[in-house]
Amino acid sequence: MADSLETAQLSDDELLRYARQILLDGWDIDAQIRLKSSRVVMIGAGGLGCPASETLVRAGLGHVHLIDDDEIEASNLQRQTLFLPEDIGKPKAIAAAQMLEKTNPLITAHGTVARLNEDNAYELLDISTGKPDLLLDCTDNFATRDVINRISVRYQIPLLSASAIAMQGQLALYEPQLNTGCYHCVFGSVVSDTESDERTCANSGVLASTTAIMGNLQANAALQYLGLTKNPLTNKLLIWDGSQMQQRLMGYRQDAECPVCSSH
């Protein structure tokens, strides 16, 4: 992103579209240009990926790449806000990317129908042309999150991981390049729990507002990280409880024995 910042400018259309944002105290044209120059890879284009990506592109994120191997089903329409009834049967990643570019023609979005893993990560994340500025984990199970975390640590890419189930959600922004801990440091014992791994929205249920709130909290953290180069969740796990309308922060630190990040 550093090289592109030197030549990036905002067009008249961008200045008009993002005017209310640029007026914010602490958010100026430089922040908007940093956001425009950022490339984000989002894994999962469902309940979390839809609101997170929509807010980010409306705010002016320059490029978003969505990776998802699933197709749109009728039961998705309750919370996956980028899709309409006529989209049922289409690949989520492709349909979401198309809707995002309609939402904001000033950004670039594209979708890949695939399941990210450690073997295909280099190709799917397009590492050969430069690492993404941020990975957004918008998936719905522990096993997949663990794989994404390993990829984040391996390639030293910041990871913004969100989860949502029932009326609860969690959010953390890990920076492996700073050796401050990773997803496995926080959830290692849970990742290996088969019963917990099977809890997903599909079999446990989720309120529509839970994914909308957590997706937008994820977008809020991403905007600060990309536009202001600030991690609002440094060594903190945000825990949101919709049934009680409560939110709290829990501190964590790197596990010296973590099998994923302690040797990096």
Side-chain angles (χ1 to χ4, degrees), residues 51-53 55-56 136 160 171 214-224:
S53 62
T55 295
L56 286 171
L136 265 66
L160 180 53
L171 181 69
M214 292 311 302
N216 276 291
L217 284 173
Q218 190 177 27
N220 180 276
L223 288 172
Q224 293 184 63

Side-chain angles (χ1 to χ4, degrees), residues 182-210:
C182 72
Y183 182 90
H184 200 279
C185 292
V186 181
F187 296 102
S189 61
V190 179
V191 171
S192 61
D193 187 302
T194 303
E195 183 175 332
S196 294
D197 185 40
E198 292 176 350
R199 287 193 72 212
T200 67
C201 294
N203 58 34
S204 298
V206 62
L207 197 65
S209 55
T210 303

Side-chain angles (χ1 to χ4, degrees), residues 11 13-14 17-18 36 54 57-63 97-109:
S11 66
D13 287 342
E14 289 169 327
R17 181 179 284 255
Y18 310 130
K36 174 183 178 178
E54 181 176 356
V57 302
R58 284 184 182 276
L61 171 66
H63 183 86
Q98 291 173 344
M99 182 60 79
L100 290 173
E101 289 197 329
K102 289 180 182 178
T103 300
N104 186 355
L106 303 177
I107 62 91
T108 301

